[in-house]
């Protein structure tokens, strides 16, 4: 493989990454809002299964974000998918900060008894968003590869 071929394969397509990240954000926003509403309405939200379900839904939103970016950037689906997943998480953080700032309560942002963001939690979401975005990119590239080969079953 020559150097220009390698460069073309590793190219980041920023419009695809941005569109993928915005798709991920569009999927995360309703889940975040539902979580904030449930937290306000329920006395035992912290101990309910809703919290786990909503976190899982947020995590799963990174897969279609990565898949969409990979479909738009065919040359480097894993790279663009990973960046779209990571971008969706990074764009979601200000929204989460806004929700924290508008809620009445004594919950700290990064410190206190039960902070909104723990360093380990932030690092975990950075890794998870990148990995699941890459998974979405991989799935999109596999689907495209099967579609390009005629769509039939392998011989």
């Amino acid at each position: 493989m020559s150097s220009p071929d390698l460069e073309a394969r590793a190219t980041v397509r920023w419009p695809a990454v941005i569109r993928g990240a915005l798709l991920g954000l569009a999927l995360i926003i309703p889940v975040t809002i539902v979580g904030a509403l449930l937290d306000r309405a329920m006395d035992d939200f912290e101990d309910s299964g809703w919290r786990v379900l909503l976190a899982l839904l947020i995590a799963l939103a990174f897969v279609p974000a990565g898949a969409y970016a990979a479909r738009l950037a065919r040359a480097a689906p894993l790279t663009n998918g990973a960046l779209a997943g990571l971008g969706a998480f990074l764009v979601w953080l200000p929204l989460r900060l806004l929700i924290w700032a508008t809620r009445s309560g004594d919950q700290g942002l990064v410190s206190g008894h039960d902070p909104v963001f723990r360093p380990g939690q932030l690092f975990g979401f950075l890794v998870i968003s990148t990995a699941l975005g890459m998974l979405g990119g991989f799935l999109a590239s596999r689907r495209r590869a099967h579609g390009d080969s005629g769509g039939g079953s392998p011989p």
Side-chain angles (χ1 to χ4, degrees), residues 1-120:
M1 184 176 286
S2 67
S3 180
D5 292 337
L6 188 58
E7 271 186 41
R9 290 187 59 160
T11 301
V12 175
R13 306 279 190 243
W14 289 110
V17 170
I18 291 168
R19 287 180 179 178
L22 290 176
L23 172 65
L25 183 65
L27 296 172
I28 292 171
I29 286 174
V31 176
T32 303
I33 292 171
V34 167
L37 293 173
L38 286 173
D39 190 18
R40 256 201 199 282
M42 295 174 63
D43 291 333
D44 62 344
F45 178 73
E46 296 295 321
D47 298 324
S48 72
W50 283 107
R51 190 170 180 192
V52 173
L53 177 65
L54 294 173
L56 183 63
L57 289 174
I58 287 173
L60 289 177
F62 302 125
V63 176
Y68 186 60
R71 280 195 344 223
L72 296 175
R74 294 176 176 231
L78 298 179
T79 301
N80 288 284
L83 289 173
L86 179 63
F89 172 68
L90 294 176
V91 174
W92 170 73
L93 281 177
L95 172 69
R96 185 64 182 102
L97 288 172
L98 180 66
I99 289 172
W100 170 78
T102 58
R103 290 179 50 200
S104 62
D106 58 352
Q107 191 175 23
L109 183 61
V110 292
S111 63
H113 175 65
D114 187 26
V116 173
F117 296 122
R118 294 178 187 90

